[in-house]
Amino acid sequence: MIWLGVPDIAKSWGISPRRVRQLIDAGSLPATLVSGRWLVEEREAEAARERRAGRPLSWRSSWALVLASVERAGRTGGPGQPGNSWWTWWDGLDGTEKARARRRWAAVVPSRGQPGATGVAENTASWLRSSLGNRARRVVLSAIVDDLPDLRADPRITPSGVSSALVGMSAGLVVEGYAPESDVAALRRDHLLREEGFPATGSRAMRGNVVLHVVTDELPGTVPVSTELLLAADLAQWRGAREDARAVELLRAAADRNVAGPWGDPV
């Protein structure tokens, strides 16, 4: 168990120590008084920060935001990018939904504004976890290590997160990807996937080595897993400093490529 003091939380959140103490006094930040110092358990601090980040977007708004993040780059439809069916879905959104998604994207990119302008990766990752959590249902499973190559090659899983070559993080013993809700039961049966921590047959199972982002069957096509915003959201859910930092890098890369030209006009 890791405990954080008021100065630690203030620095991480980018707020004043006085504001942290106000949150403790109001009961928004559970704390324990030890030898005259307020201490907050790390997990409680993270949960409180995500509550402050705001209410999660719906799955529909989440995916609209993903598309807004690549709209200015043009509708190239390259590998892992939104295809024609996704842009048809986008064109079917009303003007208010599109405008809202564009405003949200303009506020996300670390080089231009909230929440990453301070350079604190934890704040950006916390926003991603809180706001985009409804884009998919994250399921952590266990598989026999020798079966991972077959699972990685299964066409029902679209590699993402640490399994994406674009992320550049070694994850040979982990499979992460997106799968439609209608395929999950068959995937679990075909690859003998168990709930995280549940012992598989034999001694070659690794705890939590399969991460599935289960998406609604209402989505218009294969998930655009080469979209930096989506990859950043995947990495943020690992809750690691290395993954958080890489998430910020991906968002900055997306911002550099998608800032020119008027909305809706590919450049």
Side-chain angles (χ1 to χ4, degrees):
M1 183 178 296
I2 299 175
W3 294 89
L4 304 175
V6 168
D8 300 320
I9 296 172
K11 182 178 179 181
S12 177
W13 290 17
I15 61 178
S16 68
R18 181 171 177 270
R19 180 56 182 151
V20 175
R21 286 190 290 271
Q22 288 176 339
L23 292 171
I24 292 173
D25 291 341
S28 301
L29 183 60
T32 301
L33 191 62
V34 178
S35 300
R37 294 179 60 217
W38 286 110
L39 298 178
V40 180
E41 203 273 314
E42 186 179 44
R43 288 176 298 182
E44 292 284 359
E46 180 62 23
R49 179 162 57 183
E50 291 180 15
R51 287 194 297 271
R52 281 170 51 83
R55 186 175 62 182
L57 301 176
S58 67
W59 71 264
R60 183 182 175 92
S61 295
S62 296
W63 290 104
L65 177 56
V66 170
L67 290 178
S69 75
V70 294
E71 183 186 11
R72 282 176 167 170
R75 304 185 180 193
T76 59
Q81 293 293 321
N84 290 336
S85 61
W86 278 93
W87 291 116
T88 298
W89 180 80
W90 169 263
D91 291 338
L93 300 177
D94 63 40
T96 300
E97 288 179 296
K98 291 179 183 177
R100 189 179 295 122
R102 290 162 177 162
R103 287 196 301 270
R104 284 169 175 151
W105 170 241
V108 169
V109 289
S111 62
R112 286 196 279 153
Q114 296 297 326
T118 61
V120 180
E122 295 92 334
N123 288 343
T124 301
S126 179
W127 185 92
L128 288 166
R129 287 191 292 269
S130 174
S131 297
L132 292 178
N134 286 335
R135 74 191 185 283
R137 177 169 58 89
R138 190 175 190 264
V139 180
V140 182
L141 302 165
S142 299
I144 294 174
V145 175
D146 292 349
D147 291 343
L148 291 181
D150 290 338
L151 186 62
R152 200 172 284 116
D154 194 307
R156 293 171 292 184
I157 299 176
T158 307
S160 70
V162 296
S163 290
S164 170
L166 295 176
V167 168
M169 301 178 74
S170 177
L173 294 179
V174 176
V175 172
E176 181 176 7
Y178 282 81
E181 183 74 55
S182 56
D183 286 340
V184 172
L187 281 168
R188 295 188 62 170
R189 181 184 65 246
D190 296 347
H191 295 284
L192 302 178
L193 301 179
R194 308 294 185 94
E195 293 290 345
E196 181 185 9
F198 191 88
T201 303
S203 59
R204 293 173 296 167
M206 179 177 288
R207 180 175 179 179
N209 57 353
V210 177
V211 176
L212 294 182
H213 299 283
V214 181
V215 295
T216 173
D217 293 322
E218 296 181 57
L219 290 184
T222 302
V223 171
V225 289
S226 292
T227 308
E228 285 97 339
L229 175 58
L230 193 59
L231 290 171
D234 296 341
L235 292 178
Q237 289 187 295
W238 285 92
R239 297 177 180 270
R242 183 167 171 249
E243 290 81 5
D244 288 356
R246 183 64 179 126
V248 171
E249 292 175 358
L250 288 166
L251 290 181
R252 286 185 174 140
D256 290 343
R257 186 164 51 257
N258 294 291
V259 294
W263 286 111
D265 293 336
V267 295

